[in-house]
């Protein structure tokens, strides 16, 4: 209607536009704030994921550093161990058709070690200990007892299975000498995959190798603690069935007490495991054996390193153990496999020595050297008899 005033004056219209602009700005600001919050949340989540990933990499790096921190700069000599063992087995078998197979010799050795598991000063099973050798041993053992120490040992010839022991049944604290059998038990029972570990082909294999190698080479306690915390006693008890009397007694113990004959049996088992193609590939067995060569503080290894040139090609796989009063434990032990030169026709022998002669590595090394002389003499005698029996003079290399 003409002349009637509109409901909206120009002033009111201007205020309405300002209100709309303000409302629009407020909506935009609310929208921007909402997106800002979403972006902050997304960014925070992304940073959290990246932090977790970085921490994971850092933990693996720290683990690797912790493993390698105990390793000297020099590494163990990588030697073709399985070929050596196979060569010794093959040449021995070729030389004498009556030669026991490795598995048969191991079985005989285990039985004979059971027979010499006594408290006698000397016990033999298929082993000839002549008067001269006995006198030598008595003199070396007297050096322990005269200094107030106790000593026991057990050995087995892996060609014939014959065994020799002194006070072999005495149960003693093994200290780190038990670490190698423990590692072998994990591998042989399948708790840890030998092939994956030897080849470092998976992250699990790499991690297991990083733990095992310093344990065998340098007796790393922290890595051994980690292995035991993860795997416990189960594999060791299973593996030691028929080797250790009442293996369940080892339940829960990282360093279970054993006798010298039991420790020697563990190494007979280890010998058979390393020598058997059914145990794994040659490369994998080579990796395991090579980590036991020139192991830290080994008196057996020292006896051969310091000996004459005729032992230069002998290879020692061993693991020593020692403790001097910590927790009121006293021990100086060593055990392992002594492999002869390639082509000698012999398979070598297993030796375990257990004592409380802390710090007297000289005494243990002297005993290892004396026993080696006696074993060599025994093998020469056996070889000579076999040669005469077959009527020819080419049987086995008499350097071992």
């Amino acid at each position: 209607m003409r002349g009637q005033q509109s409901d909206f004056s120009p002033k009111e219209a201007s205020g309405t536009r300002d209100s709309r602009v303000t409302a629009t700005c407020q909506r935009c600001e609310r929208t921007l704030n909402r997106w800002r919050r979403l972006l902050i949340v997304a960014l925070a989540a992304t940073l959290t994921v990246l932090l977790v990933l970085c921490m994971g990499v850092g933990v693996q790096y720290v683990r690797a550093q912790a493993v390698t921190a105990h390793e000297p700069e020099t590494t163990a000599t990588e030697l073709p161990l399985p070929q050596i063992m196979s060569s010794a087995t093959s040449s021995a078998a070729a030389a004498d058709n009556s030669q026991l197979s490795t598995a048969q010799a191991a079985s005989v050795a285990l039985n004979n070690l059971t027979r010499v598991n006594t408290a006698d000063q000397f016990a033999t099973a298929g082993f000839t200990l002549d008067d001269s050798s006995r006198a030598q041993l008595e003199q070396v053992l007297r050096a322990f007892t005269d200094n107030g120490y106790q000593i026991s040992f057990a050995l087995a010839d892996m060609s014939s299975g014959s065994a020799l022991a002194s006070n072999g049944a005495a149960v003693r604290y093994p200290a780190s000498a038990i670490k190698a059998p423990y590692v072998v038990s994990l591998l042989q029972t399948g708790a840890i995959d030998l092939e994956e570990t030897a080849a470092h082909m998976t992250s699990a294999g790499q991690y297991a190798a990083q733990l095992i190698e310093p344990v065998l080479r340098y007796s790393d306690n922290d890595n051994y603690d980690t292995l035991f915390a993860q795997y416990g006693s189960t594999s060791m008890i299973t593996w030691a069935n028929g080797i250790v009397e009442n293996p369940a007694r080892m339940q829960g113990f990282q360093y279970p007490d054993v006798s010298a004959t039991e420790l020697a049996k563990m190494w007979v088992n280890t010998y058979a495991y390393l020598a058997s193609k059914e145990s794994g590939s040659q490369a994998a067995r080579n990796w395991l054996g090579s980590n036991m060569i020139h192991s830290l503080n080994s008196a057996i290894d020292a006896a051969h390193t310091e000996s004459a040139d005729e032992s230069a090609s002998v290879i020692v796989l061993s693991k020593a153990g020692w403790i001097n009063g910590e927790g009121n434990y006293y021990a100086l032990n060593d055990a392992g496999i002594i492999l002869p030169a390639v082509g000698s026709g012999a398979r070598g022998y297993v030796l375990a020595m257990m004592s409380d002669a802390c710090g007297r590595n000289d005494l243990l090394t002297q005993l290892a050297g004396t026993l080696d002389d006696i074993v060599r003499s025994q093998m020469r005698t056996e070889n000579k008899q076999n040669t005469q029996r077959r009527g020819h003079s080419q049987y086995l290399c008499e350097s071992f």
Side-chain angles (χ1 to χ4, degrees), residues 171-192:
V171 175
R172 306 187 190 281
Y173 182 71
S176 294
I178 201 67
K179 290 176 180 176
Y182 180 78
V183 167
V184 172
S185 77
L186 296 179
L187 295 168
Q188 191 166 2
T189 60
I192 295 177

Side-chain angles (χ1 to χ4, degrees), residues 49-69:
V49 171
L50 289 174
L51 180 61
V52 170
L53 291 174
C54 290
M55 288 179 64
V57 172
V59 167
Q60 292 300 322
Y61 176 77
V62 170
R63 283 179 176 175
Q65 291 297 99
V67 168
T68 57

Side-chain angles (χ1 to χ4, degrees), residues 12-51:
E12 289 174 340
S14 176
T16 300
R17 286 195 299 272
D18 291 344
S19 297
R20 289 176 178 175
V21 170
T22 300
T24 300
C25 290
Q26 287 176 345
R27 284 196 300 273
C28 289
E29 185 176 355
R30 285 195 297 272
T31 301
L32 289 173
N33 287 336
R34 188 161 54 248
W35 278 106
R36 188 180 296 114
R37 286 194 297 272
L38 290 173
L39 287 172
I40 290 172
V41 171
L43 181 61
T46 302
L47 289 174
T48 300
V49 171
L50 289 174
L51 180 61

Side-chain angles (χ1 to χ4, degrees), residues 4-275:
Q4 186 174 356
Q5 189 175 8
S6 171
D7 290 338
F8 298 97
S9 65
K11 184 178 180 180
E12 289 174 340
S14 176
T16 300
R17 286 195 299 272
D18 291 344
S19 297
R20 289 176 178 175
V21 170
T22 300
T24 300
C25 290
Q26 287 176 345
R27 284 196 300 273
C28 289
E29 185 176 355
R30 285 195 297 272
T31 301
L32 289 173
N33 287 336
R34 188 161 54 248
W35 278 106
R36 188 180 296 114
R37 286 194 297 272
L38 290 173
L39 287 172
I40 290 172
V41 171
L43 181 61
T46 302
L47 289 174
T48 300
V49 171
L50 289 174
L51 180 61
V52 170
L53 291 174
C54 290
M55 288 179 64
V57 172
V59 167
Q60 292 300 322
Y61 176 77
V62 170
R63 283 179 176 175
Q65 291 297 99
V67 168
T68 57
H70 299 279
E71 297 188 26
E73 292 183 0
T74 56
T75 58
T77 305
E78 296 292 333
L79 295 173
L81 173 66
Q83 294 96 313
I84 293 173
M85 299 186 75
S86 298
S87 296
T89 302
S90 299
S91 56
D96 185 356
N97 292 331
S98 66
Q99 181 76 31
L100 297 175
S101 68
T102 303
Q104 290 171 331
S107 178
V108 174
L110 292 174
N111 289 332
N112 282 336
L113 284 168
T114 299
R115 292 172 58 190
V116 299
N117 187 45
T118 70
D120 297 340
Q121 182 184 23
F122 298 116
T124 62
F127 195 98
T128 302
L129 186 64
D130 57 39
D131 293 341
S132 175
S133 297
R134 180 184 291 267
Q136 279 183 281
L137 272 179
E138 288 176 343
Q139 182 178 358
V140 174
L141 297 179
R142 194 177 304 117
F144 285 87
T145 56
D146 287 351
N147 284 279
Y149 301 123
Q150 297 179 328
I151 177 67
S152 57
F153 72 80
L155 68 81
D157 175 4
M158 293 307 297
S159 291
S160 65
S162 61
L164 166 68
S166 175
N167 200 19
V171 175
R172 306 187 190 281
Y173 182 71
S176 294
I178 201 67
K179 290 176 180 176
Y182 180 78
V183 167
V184 172
S185 77
L186 296 179
L187 295 168
Q188 191 166 2
T189 60
I192 295 177
D193 188 276
L194 173 62
E195 297 295 333
E196 288 186 3
T197 304
H200 299 57
M201 65 174 59
T202 64
S203 57
Q206 291 172 4
Y207 183 56
Q210 288 176 335
L211 291 175
I212 289 172
E213 289 171 359
V215 168
L216 295 178
R217 293 178 179 180
Y218 313 117
S219 200
D220 189 291
N221 286 329
D222 292 338
N223 287 2
Y224 183 62
D225 291 344
T226 300
L227 284 171
F228 193 84
Q230 183 169 352
Y231 297 102
S233 308
T234 303
S235 295
M236 185 65 166
I237 292 172
T238 300
W239 184 78
N241 186 38
I243 295 176
V244 172
E245 184 177 353
N246 183 24
R249 77 176 198 255
M250 300 190 297
Q251 181 66 47
F253 291 98
Q254 284 184 246
Y255 302 92
D257 291 350
V258 294
S259 68
T261 52
E262 289 173 332
L263 188 56
K265 285 182 178 182
M266 291 179 180
W267 279 96
V268 169
N269 239 21
T270 299
Y271 187 112
Y273 179 62
L274 289 171

